[in-house]
Amino acid sequence: GENVEQHPSTLSVQEGDSAVIKCTYSDSASNYFPWYKQELGKGPQLIIDIRSNVGEKKDQRIAVTLNKTAKHFSLHITETQPEDSAVYFCAATIGGADGLTFGKGTHLIIQP
Amino acid sequence: NAGVTQTPKFRVLKTGQSMTLLCAQDMNHEYMYWYRQDPGMGLRLIHYSVGEGTTAKGEVPDGYNVSRLKKQNFLLGLESAAPSQTSVYFCASSSTDPLPQHFGDGTRLSIL
């Protein structure tokens, strides 16, 4: 089945700096790649997504890039703020089926 | 706008007991999903439904059953609870697209 690897597991950055989280996937049939933010005690919240026919997508301080050849995609957060502190999950569609396969998450810590 | 609502929010069971988790969505979504989240494991798909009256197995279906008698509700049942089923359970739904998925805030289940 689909396998999604996510790195790093923990990322600490200074407020105002940029943060980058990377994921790789195994199934070449995967065609949808969302990123979720999860705060303590809450469910995952979609922050940005990208489909396989697009290489990059940006929404204010957040951007996602996709390299289909290498089977990896990345989340970029610029000008980080304290409220960006959370656990971030990448995911990919399970090729030919419904549902998502998730990475194991990255705990992002924004240092004041 | 309630979105995806899960009940109960917390529950403690004894080994061998049974219970049903309820997920309700008010967005008229066709697709509904049940995931479990364990520390360091990300989210894993248990079962899902592509429409009223349908169900399908996900990555970790053993020990669980589901039903989708009404379009807005998706029930997850544990017939004979085991300590290995201690987890946080998340329900999600999506439109006919079938993505992106919208998550509830979870049910925290402990089995003693």
Side-chain angles (χ1 to χ4, degrees):
Chain A
E2 173 69 285
N3 186 40
V4 176
E5 299 284 341
Q6 182 172 347
H7 299 280
S9 57
T10 303
L11 178 61
S12 181
V13 301
Q14 290 293 124
E15 181 178 350
D17 288 350
S18 296
V20 180
I21 303 171
K22 300 181 179 181
C23 288
T24 60
Y25 61 99
S26 60
D27 191 339
S28 57
S30 295
N31 58 10
Y32 175 72
F33 307 91
W35 285 90
Y36 286 87
K37 176 183 181 182
Q38 187 177 27
E39 297 176 331
L40 196 63
K42 297 288 188 181
Q45 181 179 21
L46 180 71
I47 56 171
I48 196 166
D49 57 9
I50 192 167
R51 296 185 186 269
S52 58
N53 58 347
V54 176
E56 183 174 358
K57 184 177 179 180
K58 190 174 182 180
D59 182 5
Q60 298 182 34
R61 297 187 296 108
I62 295 173
V64 56
T65 58
L66 171 65
N67 183 326
K68 284 184 61 180
T69 303
K71 294 183 190 172
H72 66 71
F73 56 112
S74 299
L75 176 71
H76 305 254
I77 306 174
T78 59
E79 301 173 9
T80 53
Q81 301 170 3
E83 54 264 36
D84 294 329
S85 293
V87 179
Y88 291 80
F89 291 94
C90 64
T93 48
I94 303 167
D98 298 296
L100 293 169
T101 297
F102 283 79
K104 294 184 178 180
T106 296
H107 186 193
L108 177 61
I109 302 166
I110 308 301
Q111 302 279 6
Chain B
N1 264 354
V4 178
T5 303
Q6 294 184 233
T7 52
K9 297 188 185 304
F10 304 93
R11 186 72 184 267
V12 178
L13 289 178
K14 294 181 179 179
T15 298
Q17 288 185 318
S18 63
M19 80 160 294
T20 301
L21 281 63
L22 171 64
C23 176
Q25 53 95 3
D26 62 1
M27 298 173 282
N28 200 35
H29 284 170
E30 288 291 336
Y31 293 71
M32 297 187 75
Y33 312 83
W34 276 107
Y35 293 89
R36 61 177 288 173
Q37 184 176 35
D38 301 296
M41 295 293 292
L43 287 89
R44 293 180 291 169
L45 184 64
I46 304 171
H47 286 281
Y48 65 97
S49 168
V50 301
E52 182 177 321
T54 74
T55 63
K57 294 181 180 180
E59 179 186 356
V60 288
D62 294 342
Y64 305 96
N65 57 76
V66 287
S67 64
R68 184 95 181 270
L69 298 180
K70 294 183 178 181
K71 184 177 182 179
Q72 63 268 33
N73 295 337
F74 195 29
L75 279 61
L76 178 71
L78 285 72
E79 295 177 341
S80 179
S84 61
Q85 294 177 306
T86 293
S87 188
V88 182
Y89 292 86
F90 287 98
C91 176
S93 70
S94 59
S95 67
T96 55
D97 187 32
L99 300 160
Q101 296 181 13
H102 303 266
F103 283 80
D105 281 337
T107 294
R108 286 144 186 82
L109 182 61
S110 293
I111 301 169
L112 307 177

